[in-house]
């Protein structure tokens, strides 16, 4: 369809959008670099057509930035993050408060800043990431389909700040967010396992700080559930076995329960 509608034809934009949507779906499934190159080319063409003042310019800016972020994740070129940040900053200016797509641009911009922090650090970059995610969350109230993903990203960012600051409130907030994520990912959710793991890690950090027995009991409960989600052939089963064994080791050293010792031996043997 695109070949039958060369530049200048009135339906080229529609044909290009249909092609871009199909290529994106295939890239999301396969991760093909050829598809990503094609997608970026299509989005660049769209942006050229959607000049300043065009009603679809913000969409084109956001689409191109998201594709460039995907390229950064594959190749790691710092320039890609800089370009994506500039594109998304322009898109955000075109999507003021009240715009139904503002949350999408805020989320993408937070992703770009998050990658920048992971690469180069910087307290100001991390604070900007957290603020963008908080603004995104405010636009994704309970019931929003992407609230759980936004909560997860915010918990991760605040956890990184805790590692820098050592502030108890950051650690407590990470756990609070993790609990809300878990409530949105019930048994059967494909993302429950990773959410359980993240919460156990955060509780482990608080346990190391406070020595709370209740935190350790919750860690053991969570690690048992995580292990139950790992089939015998799961690639992470060995680490799940070891994590649960280590938690039981602490409880055994404190309470001396024989059943904890026997369970530890069983877990370490399988691991």
């Amino acid at each position: 369809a695109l070949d039958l509608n060369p530049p200048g034809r009135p339906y080229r934009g529609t044909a290009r959008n249909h092609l871009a949507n199909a290529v994106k779906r295939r890239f999301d499934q396969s991760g093909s670099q050829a598809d990503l190159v094609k997608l970026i080319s299509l989005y660049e063409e769209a942006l050229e057509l959607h000049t300043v003042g065009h009603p679809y310019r913000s969409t084109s800016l956001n689409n191109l930035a998201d594709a460039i972020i995907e390229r950064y994740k594959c190749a790691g070129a710092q320039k890609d993050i800089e370009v994506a940040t500039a594109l998304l900053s322009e898109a955000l200016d075109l999507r003021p408060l009240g715009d139904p797509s503002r949350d999408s641009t805020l989320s993408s911009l937070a992703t770009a800043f998050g990658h920048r922090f992971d690469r180069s650090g910087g307290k100001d970059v991390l604070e900007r990431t957290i603020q963008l995610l908080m603004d995104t969350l405010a636009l994704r109230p309970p019931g929003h389909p992407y609230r759980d993903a936004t909560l997860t990203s915010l918990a991760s960012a605040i956890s990184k700040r805790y590692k820098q600051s050592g502030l108890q409130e950051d650690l407590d907030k990470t756990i609070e967010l993790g609990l809300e994520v878990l409530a949105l990912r019930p048994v059967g959710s494909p993302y429950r396992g990773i959410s359980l793991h993240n919460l156990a890690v955060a509780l482990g950090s608080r346990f190391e700080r406070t020595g709370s027995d209740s935190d350790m009991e919750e860690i053991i409960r969570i690690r048992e559930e995580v292990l139950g989600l790992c089939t015998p052939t799961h690639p992470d089963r060995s680490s799940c076995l070891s994590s649960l064994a280590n938690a039981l080791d602490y409880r055994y050293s404190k309470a001396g329960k024989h059943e904890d010792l026997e369970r530890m031996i069983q877990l370490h043997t399988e691991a």
Side-chain angles (χ1 to χ4, degrees):
L2 197 62
D3 291 340
L4 297 175
N5 290 279
R9 286 289 186 88
Y11 296 111
R12 181 172 176 83
T14 300
R16 183 200 56 247
N17 289 341
H18 287 321
L19 177 58
N21 289 337
V23 172
K24 185 179 186 305
R25 285 196 295 270
R26 188 169 68 183
F27 170 73
D28 289 341
Q29 289 183 347
S30 69
S32 165
Q33 290 302 296
D35 282 342
L36 183 56
V37 170
K38 180 65 174 177
L39 191 60
I40 289 173
S41 176
L42 289 166
Y43 285 153
E44 286 175 337
E45 181 186 343
L47 187 58
E48 288 177 5
L49 296 174
H50 297 157
T51 55
V52 174
H54 194 286
Y56 295 149
R57 183 169 177 82
S58 63
T59 299
S60 294
L61 287 162
N62 214 130
N63 287 342
L64 178 56
D66 285 344
I68 289 174
I69 288 173
E70 289 298 326
R71 186 170 68 188
Y72 169 79
K73 288 160 66 176
C74 295
Q78 177 68 25
K79 183 179 178 181
D80 278 343
I81 284 299
E82 295 170 358
V83 170
T85 301
L87 292 169
L88 290 165
S89 295
E90 182 182 346
L92 192 61
D93 289 339
L94 297 174
R95 291 176 167 177
L97 285 172
D99 188 292
S101 298
R102 182 174 173 84
D103 68 306
S104 177
T105 302
L106 284 165
S107 178
S108 294
L109 189 54
T111 298
F113 271 93
H115 284 304
R116 179 179 289 184
F117 174 77
D118 289 341
R119 183 185 183 101
S120 305
K123 181 179 178 180
D124 56 334
V125 176
L126 183 56
E127 290 299 329
R128 178 67 169 147
T129 304
I130 291 171
Q131 186 58 58
L132 287 165
L133 287 167
M134 290 176 65
D135 292 345
T136 304
L137 189 64
L139 297 175
R140 294 176 172 176
H144 192 285
Y146 297 136
R147 184 171 175 84
D148 62 327
T150 308
L151 286 163
T152 299
S153 297
L154 180 56
S156 176
I158 292 178
S159 176
K160 291 173 184 176
R161 187 169 68 183
Y162 168 71
K163 291 176 182 177
Q164 288 188 335
S165 70
L167 291 174
Q168 179 74 38
E169 61 194 69
D170 281 341
L171 183 54
D172 290 341
K173 185 64 176 178
T174 300
I175 293 170
E176 175 189 330
L177 293 167
L179 288 168
E180 186 175 350
V181 171
L182 202 58
L184 295 174
R185 293 174 172 177
V187 175
S189 168
Y191 303 110
R192 184 168 176 84
I194 186 62
S195 301
L196 286 163
H197 170 75
N198 290 340
L199 180 57
V201 170
L203 286 167
S205 294
R206 189 166 70 183
F207 172 77
E208 290 174 359
R209 183 174 184 134
T210 66
S212 166
D213 288 341
S214 61
D215 278 345
M216 179 51 65
E217 290 300 322
E218 183 65 4
I219 291 167
I220 292 171
R221 187 197 67 77
I222 290 172
R223 290 298 184 192
E224 288 278 16
E225 184 177 348
V226 172
L227 183 60
L229 296 174
C230 291
T231 61
T233 58
H234 194 286
D236 295 328
R237 184 169 177 84
S238 180
S239 63
C240 290
L241 289 161
S242 296
S243 294
L244 176 55
N246 290 337
L248 289 169
D249 188 10
Y250 168 80
R251 190 168 69 181
Y252 172 74
S253 66
K254 190 168 186 179
K257 292 183 179 179
H258 183 72
E259 55 266 32
D260 282 342
L261 179 59
E262 291 298 323
R263 180 82 165 124
M264 284 164 48
I265 292 172
Q266 175 193 354
L267 292 166
H268 282 307
T269 299
E270 185 180 345

